[in-house]
Each structure stands twice: as C-alpha cells, then as structure tokens.
Amino acid sequence: AKMLGKARFVVFTPNLRTEAISRLDLEAQLQHAIERDELFLNYQPIYSLSSNDLVGFEALLRWNNPGRGVLLPADFISIAEESDLIVKIGEWVLLEACRQLKQWQKNYPDREELCININISGRHFIHPDFIHCLETTTTVTGLKPKYIHLEITETVLVENREKARIVFTTLNNMGYEIQIDDFGTGYSSLGYLLNFHVDMIKIDKSFIQSIGKGENGDHLVKTIVNMAQELGIDIIAEGIETERQLKDLKSMACKYGQGYLLSYPLASSGIDDLLQSGKKR
Ligand code: C2E
Ligand code: CA
Ligand code: CA
Ligand code: CA
C-alpha cells in the first residue's frame, strides 16, 4: 500500500501542477480577451416543431485564443466562474447578442419576432449589478425585453432560493422571459418550478439523445413534455440529432427544437445567409 501511495504521488503531482499552471495561464489571458477583441458569438437557430418556422437563436460563446485557436465554453467558462470575470464576460455577451439581434430585426423587418436566447451564469444572475446590466443593454441597443430569453439552470434557483426568487420575479415583471436550461440534470422537479413563473423549459440533450435507444428514454421525455403541458410550460428540445428524435418529439407535440439536425451553431454571417434565403428548416 505504501508503495502504491508513493507511486501515485510521483505520477500525479506533475500533472496537477501542469494543469494548475495552464488554468492560471488561461485565466490571465481571459482577463484581456474582451479588450483584445478575442471573444465572439455563434448563433444556433431554434425552430417551431409544428410549423418549421425559425423562432430565434441561442447565442453561444467562443474564444479565439491567440496561442490555442478557437476555444469552446467547456475550456474556459468554469475558469471565468471562479471570479467576477464571468460578470464582465456575461455583460459582453448580453450586449453583443442584443446588438446583433436588433440589427437582424432592422435588416429583416418581416422577422421582427425573432428572439435571442442568452446563457446566464448563476454567479451573474444573482450579482447585484445584473438587473442594471440588463437595463443598460436594452437602453443602448433599443431591443425590447420581450425578445430577450434568459437561460439559467435549475441549480441557480435551488442553490440561491431567496436571492434568485427576487431577481426572477423582478425580471419577469420587466418583461424578460426566463427559461430553465438543461432541465432534468439538476435536482429540482417540475413541481419546484411552480414556485416561479417559468415560461419555458429546455430538456437537456442527454434525454433527447436517449430517444430511440431503448424505451425508457422516450418514456422519460414524453413524461416531462406531458407534465409541462399540463402546467402550461412550453418546451424546447435541445440536441436533436436524428430524424427519429425529431419525429418522436413532433408526435409528443413538443413545441420547439434545436440541434445539429436542424442547424449547427453558425457565425453571424451564416445567420445572415439563412435570413436572406427565407428558408424554413
Ligand atoms: P448549453 O446551454 O446546453 O448549450 C448547448 C450546447 O450544445 C452548445 O455547446 C451547442 O453547441 C451544443 N449543441 C447544440 N446542438 C447539439 C446537438 O445536436 N448535439 C450535441 N451533442 N450538441 C449540440 P457549446 O457551444 O460548446 O456550449 C456549451 C455550454 O457552455 C452551453 O451549454 C452553456 O452552458 C455554456 N455557454 C455557452 N455560451 C455561454 C455564454 O455566453 N455564457 C455562459 N455563462 N455560458 C455559456
Ligand atoms: Ca443554453
Ligand atoms: Ca442546454
Ligand atoms: Ca448543457
């Protein structure tokens, strides 16, 4: 046992050290990513599953790191969330995404009802400046709150009950739509969400991808969709990758969908092409 302990010590220390250094390194670079103009957004279309109409986009953050190339949120969001750096980044995302949607609404007046979905970190949601940040964003961009859909995870509502409830209610009264992201992966229930005025739930892609791989997956998704319908909550299915998944979700009368089958996340120029073409899905 002693030998094993020693061996472990030798093997693991350098790795942990390297990882810690690389995280510190990334954090230091991330501090300057905004002023160096290295952040950008991709936009993934969201469709109505009944009409195939485009209804909006989810803004997804990317970081063009000079040494490492384009990084995905999995590479850097958790680092940002360790400090208020996530607040700075979140403010940038809000402004950029809302500016972009406003521009699309102007350029394509017949598409004025398109909405933008924005991921909000829990730390940002309960930050004292968050509501003010949203007010500034809508003032500066001229985008109405009703076009802004804020995606938060159920964990945010469970872990910060009192604070989250106040922010939630305030934003709702101001006209923002709040959606529950990654539903099913946290530890809340639909019943718990009744404590809030939840407009929309996004069923996590892990559940969507279980459709067609044995009966339990289908059954679980169907149960969530049915219960939500009874509670008057709409559903977005995320991570739709196969025709089978799409067909089953349509037959469950799931209202909205998003996923690689319908469209990959696109650069803003790709969305321009899509809007010009006037294509449905
Ligand atoms: P999420 O909110 O669950 O976003 C959906 C993720 O699934 C995105 O990954 C998207 O590219 C990916 N995706 C979309 N369709 C499919 C599909 O059909 N199959 C599969 N396998 N994946 C699909 P991405 O862009 O890497 O983002 C990962 C996570 O990072 C997001 O998960 C979200 O939690 C977070 N994130 C992204 N942008 C932001 C942001 O601006 N702020 C914050 N705080 N978090 C963000
Ligand atoms: Ca999301
Ligand atoms: Ca999600
Ligand atoms: Ca997710």
Side-chain angles (χ1 to χ4, degrees):
K2 228 179 184 177
M3 286 281 291
L4 197 67
K6 208 169 182 186
R8 253 194 218 133
F9 187 76
V10 173
V11 174
F12 276 5
T13 306
N15 285 341
L16 287 175
R17 222 179 107 78
T18 319
E19 196 185 312
I21 289 172
S22 122
R23 269 179 90 85
L24 279 175
D25 202 42
L26 269 190
E27 197 204 334
Q29 294 179 343
L30 194 52
Q31 296 275 3
H32 301 285
I34 294 177
E35 68 211 42
R36 291 178 184 157
D37 209 18
E38 292 166 1
L39 299 183
F40 64 99
L41 296 176
N42 276 349
Y43 298 88
Q44 187 174 34
I46 301 172
Y47 291 92
S48 156
L49 292 186
S50 54
S51 67
N52 293 331
D53 282 332
L54 178 69
V55 295
F57 315 98
E58 179 174 3
L60 295 164
L61 184 60
R62 304 291 180 256
W63 176 18
N64 190 3
N65 180 290
R68 306 179 196 226
V70 175
L71 300 183
L72 294 170
D75 301 318
F76 63 90
I77 284 287
S78 73
I79 295 176
E81 282 175 337
E82 281 167 13
S83 69
D84 277 350
L85 185 50
I86 192 63
V87 174
K88 214 173 101 183
I89 291 175
E91 290 177 349
W92 181 88
V93 171
L94 267 168
L95 190 60
E96 177 70 14
C98 291
R99 248 191 206 138
Q100 180 63 77
L101 183 67
K102 185 68 189 181
Q103 198 188 323
W104 283 327
Q105 289 184 341
K106 268 191 189 148
N107 294 348
Y108 310 93
D110 54 325
R111 299 297 193 96
E112 218 211 325
E113 293 307 312
L114 290 173
C115 295
I116 189 77
N117 277 43
I118 303 174
N119 292 288
I120 307 294
S121 159
R123 186 171 178 136
H124 195 193
F125 191 76
I126 59 167
H127 190 275
D129 291 343
F130 183 59
I131 291 170
H132 180 245
C133 162
L134 277 170
E135 284 173 328
T136 308
T137 305
T138 49
T139 307
V140 168
T141 61
L143 189 68
K144 292 197 189 87
K146 68 167 177 171
Y147 298 116
I148 304 174
H149 297 170
L150 305 168
E151 296 191 8
I152 58 172
T153 62
E154 44 192 326
T155 314
V156 178
L157 300 182
V158 175
E159 283 180 355
N160 313 281
R161 273 169 200 248
E162 286 320 306
K163 176 72 184 165
R165 177 193 302 284
I166 294 167
V167 177
F168 195 106
T169 309
T170 308
L171 292 178
N172 233 243
N173 291 337
M174 291 168 76
Y176 296 92
E177 184 168 312
I178 302 174
Q179 306 188 350
I180 306 302
D181 203 359
D182 300 346
F183 184 78
T185 61
Y187 25 70
S188 80
S189 61
L190 276 171
Y192 176 68
L193 295 183
L194 282 179
N195 292 311
F196 301 87
H197 182 116
V198 171
D199 299 287
M200 185 93 72
I201 284 171
K202 299 188 78 170
I203 304 186
D204 192 68
K205 53 179 177 288
S206 58
F207 298 107
I208 304 305
Q209 285 163 11
S210 69
I211 292 178
K213 294 176 183 160
E215 276 181 33
N216 280 339
D218 308 42
H219 189 73
L220 190 61
V221 173
K222 204 175 161 65
T223 304
I224 298 175
V225 172
N226 286 345
M227 283 179 68
Q229 275 164 353
E230 279 183 27
L231 299 172
I233 299 173
D234 283 332
I235 300 260
I236 302 180
E238 64 173 30
I240 304 175
E241 292 184 353
T242 68
E243 291 290 351
R244 163 75 194 273
Q245 288 159 2
L246 181 64
K247 182 175 136 272
D248 286 3
L249 287 161
K250 282 184 175 178
S251 76
M252 294 172 200
C254 175
K255 208 156 176 182
Y256 302 103
Q258 180 185 356
Y260 295 163
L261 178 72
L262 306 174
S263 169
Y264 288 102
L266 302 171
S268 61
S269 59
I271 299 294
D272 267 303
D273 294 342
L274 184 72
L275 292 172
Q276 263 158 33
S277 77
K279 253 200 340 243
K280 292 201 171 192
R281 95 116 173 136

